[in-house]
Amino acid sequence: MTIKHYKYSIEGIVQGVGFRPFVYTLALKYSLKGFVLNDSMGVKISLEGRISDIKNFEKDLYDKLPPLARIDNLEKTSSVLKNFNNFEITKSKNDNAKHSLVSPDFAMCDECLNEMREKNNRRYNYFFTNCTNCGPRYSIIKTVPYDRPNTSMQPFVMCKECQEEYDNPTDRRYHAQPISCEKCGPTLSLKDMQGNVISTNLDAIKGLADFIKKGHIVAMKGMGGFHLMCDATNNSTIKNLRKKKNRPSKPFAVMMKSIEDVESSCILSQSEKSRVLSNERPIVLLKTKKNNISSLVAPYIDRLGVFLAYTPLHVKLLDFLENPIVATSANRSGEPIVTNEDDLRDKLDGVIEYYLDYNREIINSSDDSVLQIIDNKDLIMRASRGITPLSVKVKTNEKRKILAVGAHQKNAIAIFLNNQVILSPYIGDLDNIATVEAFYKTLKTFKEFYDFEPDLIVCDKHPLYESTKWAKSQNLPVVEVQHHYAHILSTMFEHDINEKVLGIAWDGTGYGDDGTIWGGEFFVCDRSNYERVAYFEPFLLLGSDASIKDIRRIVLSIILDCEEDTVYKEFLSSFKTSELNLLKQMHKKELNSPKCSAVGRLFDMVAVLAGVCDRVSYDGESGLILESMYDKNINESYNIYLDGEVIKYKHIIKEMIKDKEPALIASKFINSLVDIVCDVSDNYSYKTLLSGGVFQNRTILEKILKRRNNTVFQSKLPINDGSIAIGQLANILS
């Protein structure tokens, strides 16, 4: 009988996910001797045994991985026999380099949920139950390796029962770092806005539920931050919440108790159902049907963002409620999610009346992830809890450590080291001090995770982006990547495409190579270069950012580009004479009016002409409203056409005014955008890649995919600016 000794070095998501006890169990199953340990790179294994048993071990290592584990790289070397007596899990090995990957937070698993429901289980009704297959990771970790002293669970000393579970390699909670129970875990407190404790633990959850039932707006500390909550069926409460939050119409997400509740309120496919139930528990945008949810939750649109309770605390709260609840990030408008009670009381005084807190610190904040399902694939709109940090192993000869700082809106950063690309959770729009500080904190966090100091920084070309200004202030080499090219590069990166493609990047804004605002781009490009082969005819944004809110100005600008005609008379009368004269002067002299060719702004134009809104209060509002009006029985289009490299569309305003009917205008416009994508794509033999916020419009995307087979979009990375940092890195790693 030949005995061999092999050493394995494994990288990937292999810490804090039950990987070592999994290896331990396999080793016992195949009578192998040796040890397994965590180190800064991942996991190390030494195995001695018969070759046939080692082969079976290796097969199961890949085929039967724990649900949250992922192997990116495995290196195997032969070694001299050590004659081990048994197999054991040994203490984590630390060295100076940190490369082990940090996992996202995950929703409570079914086994923990079942224990929580069992009256004879010691974790019955316990609101912080978790195991190696679920629970917090990113939100509680300070640095790697992922061991309890490096988390915000460090202050909580395990009781005898928890310690026994933690130390038992055959237990589901072996080295589950957040392990606790009612005896030794964090404490819940229900408080008023003066910080006075009203009740604790299970009574605190019941008390919060009672306040929600009575129509109060409350807050609850979740996994990555506080949620604002109220009864999703109560019109007056939601109206009050919108007033207090200064959030006129932006949709709220709704948390529901069960998949049956979701099915009673929304139309969902099998793919959508699977995603709602997945261990990431994202907010999934679903088509609504008649239900008891207040129309004020998501006004003017036919979609509802729905998710299920994903922590035991949320589960218990909904146990005490009959109705679904609004559960939205607790923050000031445009700012990051609040993670501690001091900030909550400071920033949301006057909005909420009571809040539920606990005494475990949230180290790293994360919002809820948001996606929809298109062609049975994810279309990610916000990548955060459950999805990020997202790591991808890449083949490259690049040895430098590289930092990509992303875009200005929907900012996320990405780093490259040790052949890993790692995308951070969503940070937000860098429009205020609080979000810029969150950007700095995320940079600091990732540096501390990996002892990461970049050799090179990659940023957007826009000179006024906060991320770009920061990059240029670091006294390090900087590479600038054009915004829309980065969109296409991120798609190429996700799908591992290294050939020439036709890249179509449509969004609301982005700094162009000519200094104007781009956003309706057609590129022929590869990983190294791009050529702008088609674009929408530019117009002037009268008053710059003022046009993005008062979207009538976009229509006026385009009308002024056309010949005067009496058909525009009614629209022009919506302006005061003095205002109209001023805007005409701005247009004539091009004062504070940058040129823009963004398709996102054309949706604003159409929304005004369709009479559905003349101001917008959140990004993409006009597109959502127009999409909800789309009539699949209308097959007509407006004549948007390519003239050389320029896509002509301004002439269709006159026809839209004559059409009058909002659904007809919306449907013909969406059809015409699909037509122009297909018309331009037909001129090239390359694969067509779609990226940018406009393609969050599922109607446009689905119609393009139906008409063109050789078309690709992002499904693992955000299709909007949330993936710009990945595109920036891809440019360097080409």
Side-chain angles (χ1 to χ4, degrees), residues 184-252:
C184 61
T187 302
L188 285 175
S189 300
L190 178 62
K191 301 179 181 180
D192 62 24
M193 289 305 284
Q194 287 71 49
N196 300 310
V197 176
I198 299 169
S199 53
T200 60
N201 294 336
L202 197 61
D203 287 339
I205 305 175
K206 290 179 181 176
L208 191 77
D210 287 339
F211 284 132
I212 291 172
K213 289 176 188 175
K214 292 173 182 175
H216 292 282
I217 300 165
V218 301
M220 187 179 87
K221 191 175 182 179
M223 191 176 280
F226 278 87
H227 275 130
L228 285 181
M229 293 177 165
C230 68
D231 186 339
T233 68
N234 190 320
N235 282 330
S236 61
T237 301
I238 296 169
K239 186 176 181 180
N240 192 25
L241 176 60
R242 289 201 173 280
K243 182 180 179 181
K244 288 182 173 182
K245 275 274 287 175
N246 190 26
R247 186 166 165 168
S249 54
K250 188 175 181 180
F252 291 121

Side-chain angles (χ1 to χ4, degrees), residues 5-10 43-47 54-55 57-58 61 74-77:
H5 178 197
Y6 291 105
K7 291 183 177 180
Y8 302 82
S9 179
I10 301 176
V43 165
K44 293 287 194 295
I45 306 171
S46 276
L47 276 184
I54 289 175
K55 284 183 177 177
F57 170 90
E58 290 174 354
L61 193 67
L74 184 150
E75 293 182 4
K76 174 185 174 184
T77 56

